[in-house]
Amino acid sequence: MVKALIVTQNNGTVVKDISQAAHSISGAYAISTAQEKFTSTPTVFLSGGSTNLNLGTSSDFDWDSSSTNQVCWEMWLYPTSWTGSDNILWETRPGSGGSSVGVVIFINSSGKLCFYFNGTVYGASGTSVTLNSWHHIAVCGTGGVVSMYLDGVRQWTASIGYTGVSSAFRIGVRNDGTLGQAGYFDQMRVTKGNVRYSGTSFTPPAGPFASS
């Protein structure tokens, strides 16, 4: 089931969660037509630093890649610059910085996709994300294994049978309001009960994501 699908609506005048959950969205962000993944579909622009989308606290965002569960977080991203260190895509930890319990998905200083939880970083291998290009990014967990995909190609897998509670689900910023990923974001989808992608490769969706 889709637990969140964040897109622009009403001719690009608002950002909404069009899933059945319809989570409220706060934060600091802009809507832009400068880079559109899909024709006539404005995107969310985050300038880095503390800009972000915040969907608040909900069990819909609890990460569960244990043996009996399936989860997938994905988005289209057009990065425009790096911070020089970690560039945050998704953040679920509480508090303000430090090694709190929770899941963080980020791009490191080498452009590699990484998965953090409870003080340990996984990944940091595979193809580098490039600036000023659209990329499909997906992280999928099932059967105690997490797989990270870039443009439909699996970058790495790791045994992470982790079940964690989200304190606040944020896109594009760390929990202390820093290290935000700058760029254009579209089709930010959270799915539970369906891993969506598996194997070594797949063809990323050719159109806007379905809300089911």
Side-chain angles (χ1 to χ4, degrees):
M1 176 180 289
V2 174
K3 298 297 186 178
L5 177 52
I6 312 307
V7 297
T8 61
Q9 287 275 285
N10 299 345
N11 296 316
T13 59
V14 296
V15 177
K16 295 180 65 176
D17 173 12
I18 62 171
S19 73
Q20 290 185 353
H23 295 284
S24 297
I25 300 170
S26 61
Y29 55 86
I31 297 173
S32 176
T33 59
Q35 294 295 335
E36 296 181 351
K37 174 57 187 173
F38 302 109
T39 303
S40 300
T41 305
T43 55
V44 173
F45 177 70
L46 301 180
S47 59
S50 62
T51 57
N52 72 98
L53 297 169
N54 190 328
L55 278 71
T57 301
S58 170
S59 60
D60 287 345
F61 308 125
D62 294 351
W63 178 272
D64 194 342
S65 57
S66 59
S67 60
T68 59
N69 292 280
Q70 297 181 327
V71 61
C72 179
W73 295 354
E74 62 184 312
M75 67 167 62
W76 283 101
L77 172 69
Y78 186 106
T80 55
S81 65
W82 306 128
T83 64
S85 55
D86 301 340
N87 303 269
I88 307 301
L89 302 181
W90 291 279
E91 163 75 277
T92 70
R93 294 174 300 172
S96 178
S99 297
S100 301
V101 175
V103 168
V104 187
I105 313 299
F106 65 95
I107 301 171
N108 70 9
S109 58
S110 299
K112 310 295 187 181
L113 290 165
C114 302
F115 182 102
Y116 164 105
F117 88 95
N118 200 20
T120 301
V121 175
Y122 298 84
S125 61
T127 303
S128 294
V129 178
T130 56
L131 293 177
N132 302 314
S133 297
W134 280 107
H135 297 283
H136 181 258
I137 295 171
V139 55
C140 305
T142 183
V145 175
V146 171
S147 300
M148 183 74 78
Y149 294 91
L150 175 64
D151 298 326
V153 178
R154 189 172 65 196
Q155 303 300 300
W156 54 263
T157 63
S159 296
I160 312 174
Y162 171 69
T163 302
V165 176
S166 171
S167 291
F169 190 77
R170 286 156 289 196
I171 296 171
V173 74
R174 199 168 71 169
N175 58 345
D176 63 354
T178 65
L179 299 180
Q181 173 63 64
Y184 301 89
F185 293 69
D186 196 13
Q187 308 294 309
M188 294 153 276
R189 182 167 65 177
V190 173
T191 304
K192 296 179 77 172
N194 181 354
V195 73
R196 290 205 179 271
Y197 311 115
S198 60
T200 59
S201 64
F202 64 88
T203 301
F209 296 165
S211 59
S212 60

